[in-house]
Amino acid sequence: MDWRERKARGITRPDPTPEERERFMREALTEAQLAMHDGEVPIGAVVVRDGEVVGRGHNRRETGKNALYHAEVLAIDEACKTLGGWRLWECDLYVTLEPCPMCAGALINARVRHVYYGAKDEKAGSVESVTKLFDLPYNHRPTAEGGILEEECGALLTEFFETLRQK
């Protein structure tokens, strides 16, 4: 049965358990550590469908010399290629930092079902901190939950910027 039939029949999967949320956020943290190893701001993301990672990404703006290479956008891109389409309505995204406006817009456009994030972004967060793009009357509105492994996600960012300042 393809996604259209599942959607028409109202077949949806249950929300992930707290253990699954932690497991997938740890996958995103692994991606963030890859970014940090490359000298990038350590943000990582994974796209999950039916309990399986279908897309991964970590920040690559500096190495790729491209402003669009945010973790979420790269994870969405890989998920679309893996699944063979741009509609990710059966997918959840896990990201270590609250999405910025560009990434929140990409999540809306990709029809991602739910967004789980670690640390808040008081400067650019567009899920709850600076603005609430998911609450605006777009044709699709992902749901969101923050604070998943928040301390670990925040500590990685703090470590990165402290090291950068010391240099």
Side-chain angles (χ1 to χ4, degrees):
M1 178 178 339
D2 75 17
W3 68 269
R4 287 179 191 90
E5 291 171 346
R6 288 174 55 107
K7 189 173 182 181
R9 293 181 186 189
I11 299 171
T12 59
R13 60 182 176 71
D15 289 336
T17 65
E19 294 79 20
E20 289 173 317
R21 291 175 189 166
E22 184 174 313
R23 182 177 120 221
F24 292 123
M25 188 59 75
R26 290 203 184 285
E27 295 274 346
L29 274 164
T30 298
E31 289 294 319
Q33 290 165 346
L34 291 172
M36 190 159 109
H37 178 61
D38 292 341
E40 299 276 354
V41 176
I43 301 170
V46 295
V47 176
V48 176
R49 186 179 83 172
D50 294 330
E52 184 178 329
V53 174
V54 294
R56 297 176 179 276
H58 57 271
N59 272 8
R60 299 192 41 79
R61 291 189 304 172
E62 300 299 330
T63 53
K65 301 191 182 337
N66 190 319
L68 302 177
Y69 286 6
H70 286 215
E72 299 95 322
V73 172
L74 296 172
I76 289 168
D77 183 55
E78 186 175 292
C80 290
K81 289 174 182 171
T82 299
L83 299 173
W86 63 270
R87 292 175 186 89
L88 303 178
W89 69 275
E90 292 183 308
C91 298
D92 298 333
L93 180 122
Y94 293 78
V95 62
T96 56
L97 185 67
E98 179 183 0
C100 72
M102 176 182 73
C103 293
L107 292 160
I108 291 166
N109 281 318
R111 311 291 196 267
V112 169
R113 180 182 91 116
H114 196 90
V115 176
Y116 297 96
Y117 62 91
K120 286 184 180 181
D121 184 351
E122 301 295 340
K123 294 181 181 178
S126 295
V127 174
E128 71 172 301
S129 295
V130 175
T131 189
K132 297 180 180 187
L133 287 183
F134 294 172
D135 290 347
L136 296 176
Y138 294 111
N139 61 332
H140 176 75
R141 291 181 225 161
T143 55
E145 178 183 340
I148 312 294
L149 299 180
E150 183 173 13
E151 288 182 22
E152 291 179 49
C153 294
L156 195 60
L157 288 159
T158 299
E159 177 187 344
F160 174 79
F161 286 111
E162 283 176 356
T163 303
L164 194 62
R165 281 186 215 101
Q166 290 171 2
K167 290 180 183 179

